[in-house]
Structure formats: C-alpha cells, structure tokens
Amino acid sequence: MSDVDSSVLNPTYAEIVVVRHGETEWNADGRIQGHLDVELNDSGRQQASAVADRLSREGKISVVYSSDLKRALETAQIIATCCGGLEVIKEPDLRERHLGNLQGLVLREAAKLSPEAYWAFSNHKTDQEIPGGGESLDQLYERCTSSLERIGRKHKGERVVVVTHGGVVRSLYKRACPNGRSGGKVLNTSVNILHLSDRDEWTIKSWGDVSHLNQTGFLESGFGGDKTSG
C-alpha cells in the first residue's frame, strides 16, 4: 500500500494511536509518580525518538494530544517534530492517576511508609480513593475515557496520536474490552491503536507494540505500566 493510501481512513471512525511516555529516572527506580512532574531520562528520550521515527513512516497524523505532565509532553513534542512539526495539544484529563500519599515513594517501601494509602491502592476496589487526594480507578476511567471520546468525535476520518501514562492506557483498554483480561504490561513508548466509531464503539487494531525498540537497546523495566500505574 502506498503512503498516500495508508493515510486515508474511513470517515466513520477516528484512528487514535495511544503511546505511553518514555522512561523516567523514577520509572527506572520503581518510584511512584502519579501527578508529580518528572522529566524523561536519556533512555526515555531515545525511546521517544525511536517511536517518533516509526510513527513518521506509518501514515499521515493530523495532530498530537498529550497529558500536560513533562514526561508525556516531552515524548509528544519529539513525536510531533519528527512527524512534520505537528501541533501538540495539552489535555490535562490524559494525566496519570493521582496516587495521593503514595506519590514520590518507592513502591517496595510504600506499605511501610504509608500503609493506609498502600492498602487503598492495592485492595482492588475500583471505587477506592487513595488518602492524600488520590483518585479511584473509577474516577481515572471516567476522566480519561471521556477525554478520548471527545478527541475521537473531533477527528473522525483522521489519525491522531495521544501520549499518556500507564494507568490511563490500562483504563482505555478496559473501555475497549470491558469483559476481557488485562491488556498486560504497558511498556514505555508502547504503541496501542484504537478505532473510535461514530457509534461510540471502540475497537482495538493493535496493542502493546514495542517493535520500534527491538534494535535500540532501551527497552527498560517499564515500571508503572502495570497495576503500579505511574
């Protein structure tokens, strides 16, 4: 298929390429980020460059949306620059889950340092908020799926990129596959492609693709891409 053909989409749906941000030092250290604003590390920037190069060769992208947190925004800006100097639109509703009193703690120490927050985080109740202003899984789900639906309605017949966080990507998977198993670990700069139809149907085209990292040597721990969020 030619490049021209690959950029033409059915006008009844939006193709949304959801990308998790590149690695940060806190990811590498197993430290919980949530809404704390941590920058990419060198590995994360090289991951972002690798996914940007890939996306620049996979069909025309109209615009890039991003969480307003630095780790996502920097990833988005690298992608936007590589894909022809696209606009990056900040979308605060694409932020990671607020993790309350756990934010800034190393996960393996959290149960000891903040037991109430750790219990709230780990008890699997989707309506459980986390002490210290943290969101429940239900609140995160409503926030980020509503954001993606707004983007999808605005961009029917287009391909757009959304750069966000591990917890958000897991919520989006749940919206697309409500009765399915977990989408698995969401690695840094993984590519996850959704089709959002004009009938509010979500279809997964591909999920968890990190083939662009195979040759880079920067496929790191992916901490935060599972139930640890962040």
Side-chain angles (χ1 to χ4, degrees), residues 20 165-167 169-170 183-188 190 192 207-208 222-226:
R20 187 186 175 206
H165 306 264
V169 176
R170 290 169 65 81
K185 200 173 186 67
V186 184
L187 295 171
N188 292 110
S190 60
N192 311 278
W207 202 258
F223 174 80
D226 52 19

Side-chain angles (χ1 to χ4, degrees), residues 26-66:
W26 284 27
N27 288 152
D29 292 343
R31 193 174 295 275
I32 299 168
Q33 295 171 123
H35 279 201
L36 297 184
D37 212 4
V38 185
E39 296 181 354
L40 299 180
N41 61 15
D42 288 342
S43 291
R45 292 185 185 97
Q46 293 184 64
Q47 290 170 339
S49 293
V51 74
D53 178 68
R54 169 188 173 166
L55 294 177
S56 73
R57 295 181 278 105
E58 288 189 346
K60 183 179 182 295
I61 295 166
S62 298
V63 65
V64 179
Y65 286 84
S66 178

Side-chain angles (χ1 to χ4, degrees), residues 175-221:
R175 169 64 176 81
C177 296
N179 300 315
R181 301 177 64 183
S182 163
K185 200 173 186 67
V186 184
L187 295 171
N188 292 110
T189 69
S190 60
V191 172
N192 311 278
I193 302 178
L194 292 162
H195 287 175
L196 273 60
S197 80
D198 52 11
R199 298 184 301 275
D200 289 329
E201 295 173 347
W202 292 33
T203 304
I204 292 175
K205 182 180 178 184
S206 66
W207 202 258
D209 187 348
V210 288
S211 57
H212 52 280
L213 298 182
N214 288 348
Q215 305 303 319
T216 69
F218 293 102
L219 185 55
E220 299 294 339
S221 69

Side-chain angles (χ1 to χ4, degrees), residues 18-130:
V18 180
V19 179
R20 187 186 175 206
H21 63 81
E23 189 188 73
T24 69
E25 282 303 322
W26 284 27
N27 288 152
D29 292 343
R31 193 174 295 275
I32 299 168
Q33 295 171 123
H35 279 201
L36 297 184
D37 212 4
V38 185
E39 296 181 354
L40 299 180
N41 61 15
D42 288 342
S43 291
R45 292 185 185 97
Q46 293 184 64
Q47 290 170 339
S49 293
V51 74
D53 178 68
R54 169 188 173 166
L55 294 177
S56 73
R57 295 181 278 105
E58 288 189 346
K60 183 179 182 295
I61 295 166
S62 298
V63 65
V64 179
Y65 286 84
S66 178
S67 158
D68 60 346
L69 296 175
K70 291 175 183 175
R71 56 194 185 271
L73 191 57
E74 186 178 356
T75 303
Q77 288 167 337
I78 291 170
I79 292 170
T81 297
C82 192
C83 292
L86 299 174
E87 180 183 10
V88 176
I89 299 174
K90 296 180 186 178
E91 176 51 82
D93 283 344
L94 293 171
R95 281 188 172 200
E96 182 57 278
R97 181 184 180 189
H98 194 302
L99 292 165
N101 291 336
L102 295 178
Q103 295 186 161
L105 301 182
V106 175
L107 179 63
R108 63 180 177 273
E109 300 172 355
K112 178 175 65 177
L113 296 176
S114 190
E116 289 185 7
Y118 185 80
W119 177 85
F121 173 67
S122 58
N123 70 7
H124 305 301
K125 295 180 180 179
T126 61
D127 61 351
Q128 177 70 60
E129 297 179 21
I130 299 175

Side-chain angles (χ1 to χ4, degrees), residues 131-187:
E135 293 175 285
S136 69
L137 287 170
D138 289 342
Q139 289 169 330
L140 169 67
Y141 178 91
E142 177 59 32
R143 167 165 65 80
C144 66
T145 58
S146 295
S147 174
L148 209 72
E149 283 168 357
R150 290 194 299 271
I151 293 169
R153 285 193 294 267
K154 187 175 181 179
H155 295 283
K156 288 292 186 297
E158 299 176 55
R159 179 180 288 108
V160 301
V161 171
V162 165
V163 183
T164 185
H165 306 264
V168 171
V169 176
R170 290 169 65 81
S171 287
L172 299 180
Y173 183 89
K174 183 179 178 182
R175 169 64 176 81
C177 296
N179 300 315
R181 301 177 64 183
S182 163
K185 200 173 186 67
V186 184
L187 295 171

